[in-house]
Amino acid sequence: MYCFAIFGNPISHSKSPLMHNLAFKELGFNGCYNRYRLEEGEKLKETFFALKLKGINITVPHKTHAFHACDVLDSFAQKVGAVNTIVEKEGKLYGYNTDAPGFLKALSEFSEVHSVLFLGAGGTAQSTAVILQEEGYDVTILNRSAGRLEKFAKEGFKTATFETFTPQAYDLVINMTSAGLEDEQLPAPKALLDIVIPSSKACVDVIYGKETPFLKLAKSYHKPTKDGADMLLYQGIIAFEHFTEYHYPFETIKASMQKAFLI
């Protein structure tokens, strides 16, 4: 049996084990999928081999550590500097990024969207900003500190800290942080959000399975909202394709994984 897992911290909330195990069972693949709370990202590679895994997904805060742990990177993961899917092949770790294409597919339901404001500059923001930019979106990155913004600025993105930010109208405002996952924090000062949310067309949170303070605030302004469930589903399907070497059609995997959101 092939064993897979998701590494992250926190990790108890993750639906990935249910999604993948449902698909393994229904499609007849000899695999199992668990979750592992990884405290130290520097030990990702060591932990992977100690647990005798075939593949993993990686969530916050270890996507950059995952990038550095890989022996081989696909071209997109190499470009964005963040990995969320790893597969072992002949003793080497192959790294991929399925966040970005999954995110793009989830956003496709929003029409007439051109400008996007990201709240946060972590691993998920790195990959999705690049793919949105390539698709013609105008992306601005707002982050608490300036350090993480340097990479974005070099790649031509508009960037700002809370102190330097000049608010304007954005079609989509997206929380890319873990704020609200296990607390009642907002991803940016409320005074700033009270300016950008009312002028937006919709608000999105990458967190799934709960109504975060950010989404509650957006709904108080009567804005359409979307959580991270579809993004999780689509990136999970693409990761599953890597895990199983593309033996199953996308829509077949989707039909099995979707059931995880009904349980």
Side-chain angles (χ1 to χ4, degrees):
M1 177 176 283
Y2 293 113
C3 293
F4 303 86
I6 181 166
F7 285 7
N9 186 15
I11 200 60
S12 61
H13 67 287
S14 177
K15 273 191 181 293
S16 291
L18 184 57
M19 288 164 52
H20 285 270
N21 285 324
L22 279 170
F24 286 153
K25 183 177 180 180
E26 292 195 4
L27 300 179
F29 184 84
N30 190 24
C32 66
Y33 190 111
N34 295 294
R35 57 172 63 89
Y36 185 88
R37 181 174 175 175
L38 184 66
E39 299 283 353
E40 301 174 66
E42 296 83 359
K43 294 184 178 180
L44 186 147
K45 191 170 189 174
E46 172 188 335
T47 305
F48 181 99
F49 285 110
L51 294 175
K52 299 181 180 179
L53 298 170
K54 178 63 179 175
I56 57 172
N57 290 127
I58 305 95
T59 188
V60 292
H62 300 312
K63 294 178 185 181
T64 303
H65 287 118
F67 174 86
H68 293 296
C70 292
D71 301 297
V72 182
L73 296 160
D74 79 346
S75 58
F76 186 74
Q78 195 166 15
K79 182 176 182 178
V80 300
V83 161
N84 79 314
T85 300
I86 291 177
V87 181
E88 180 273 326
K89 300 176 185 179
E90 297 180 345
K92 292 185 177 181
L93 299 189
Y94 285 68
Y96 309 92
N97 191 296
T98 70
D99 277 333
F103 188 88
L104 187 63
K105 190 169 181 64
L107 286 192
S108 63
E109 71 177 53
F110 292 110
S111 59
E112 298 300 315
V113 170
H114 303 289
S115 59
V116 180
L117 176 66
F118 278 10
L119 306 174
T124 304
Q126 288 179 36
S127 57
T128 51
V130 170
I131 202 168
L132 290 184
Q133 185 184 59
E134 290 177 348
E135 292 295 318
Y137 290 86
D138 181 14
V139 182
T140 300
I141 318 294
L142 176 62
N143 195 56
R144 181 186 306 276
S145 59
R148 282 189 168 182
L149 293 174
E150 292 177 3
K151 177 177 170 57
F152 291 94
K154 288 178 181 177
E155 294 176 354
F157 292 100
K158 300 172 187 174
T159 63
T161 63
F162 297 159
E163 290 74 25
T164 64
F165 183 57
T166 301
Q168 63 182 68
Y170 301 93
D171 294 329
L172 284 183
V173 181
I174 306 176
N175 174 30
M176 285 286 181
T177 77
S178 59
L181 176 59
E182 291 192 324
D183 53 40
E184 292 301 309
Q185 298 295 312
L186 289 166
K190 187 172 183 296
L192 293 182
L193 297 178
D194 284 334
I195 298 173
V196 295
I197 289 177
S199 60
S200 69
K201 292 181 179 178
C203 294
V204 177
D205 201 315
V206 295
I207 296 171
Y208 62 91
K210 67 174 290 189
E211 188 177 66
T212 62
F214 173 69
L215 292 184
K216 289 177 183 176
L217 182 60
K219 288 181 179 179
S220 75
Y221 283 107
H222 307 290
K223 296 296 174 180
T225 61
K226 184 180 186 68
D227 72 2
D230 284 351
M231 299 164 209
L232 174 72
L233 173 63
Y234 291 129
Q235 69 80 24
I237 295 168
I238 300 167
F240 191 93
E241 290 179 319
H242 286 299
F243 291 158
T244 58
E245 299 182 336
Y246 290 84
H247 283 172
Y248 307 97
F250 185 96
E251 291 300 324
T252 301
I253 304 168
K254 181 180 178 181
S256 296
M257 283 196 168
Q258 276 182 318
K259 297 175 183 178
F261 296 89
L262 303 175
I263 296 175

